Amino acid sequence: MLAYVFSNLTEDMWALLWSYWPRELGRPAPNLASAIGTGVALICALVAWRNKRWFTFVSEVAVEVSQVTWPTKAETRVATIVVVVLTLVCSVILAMMDLFWSNVTDWLYAL
């Protein structure tokens, strides 16, 4: 994922700089940008892997995430339905308030 982000960042920065200095830089090359982004990501991963504090932090996060009780498919479905219904109810309430205040302001402007 880091390689993907750095590849796109490299390509976007190259395109931005190319728009200012087209003769000096040449057109952005996607393959070269991918190689640069992958290289930067590998260096970052290697530095993070060798850093004891970072490695300990990531290990602790992995242990904590493994202890999480994830919801079942049925619980997720019910929670999703509740969110959709509440969103629709709130939308209707806001639409009614908007319609009411729109009519009130139209009436006031007509005076």
Side-chain angles (χ1 to χ4, degrees):
M1 189 157 109
L2 199 57
Y4 175 77
V5 169
F6 278 128
S7 296
N8 284 334
L9 181 65
T10 303
E11 193 169 350
D12 291 344
M13 293 305 292
W14 191 345
L16 180 68
L17 292 173
W18 175 74
S19 68
Y20 290 112
W21 302 289
R23 289 187 181 151
E24 291 82 3
L25 290 177
R27 288 196 174 272
N31 292 336
L32 182 58
S34 294
I36 292 170
T38 303
V40 170
L42 285 174
I43 290 170
C44 289
L46 190 66
V47 167
W49 183 269
R50 295 191 58 144
N51 186 341
K52 184 150 180 72
R53 275 187 30 203
W54 178 256
F55 188 76
T56 303
F57 171 73
V58 171
S59 299
E60 290 173 359
V61 168
V63 168
E64 290 297 324
V65 169
S66 70
Q67 295 174 358
V68 171
T69 304
W70 299 100
T72 63
K73 187 175 182 180
E75 291 172 336
T76 305
R77 186 180 316 117
V78 169
T80 303
I81 290 171
V82 167
V83 168
V84 168
V85 168
L86 284 176
T87 301
L88 290 173
V89 168
C90 289
S91 298
V92 168
I93 291 171
L94 287 173
M96 298 296 280
M97 289 172 56
D98 183 50
L99 182 65
F100 172 76
W101 286 112
S102 175
N103 287 335
V104 168
T105 54
D106 287 346
W107 177 74
L108 285 174
Y109 288 143
L111 292 179

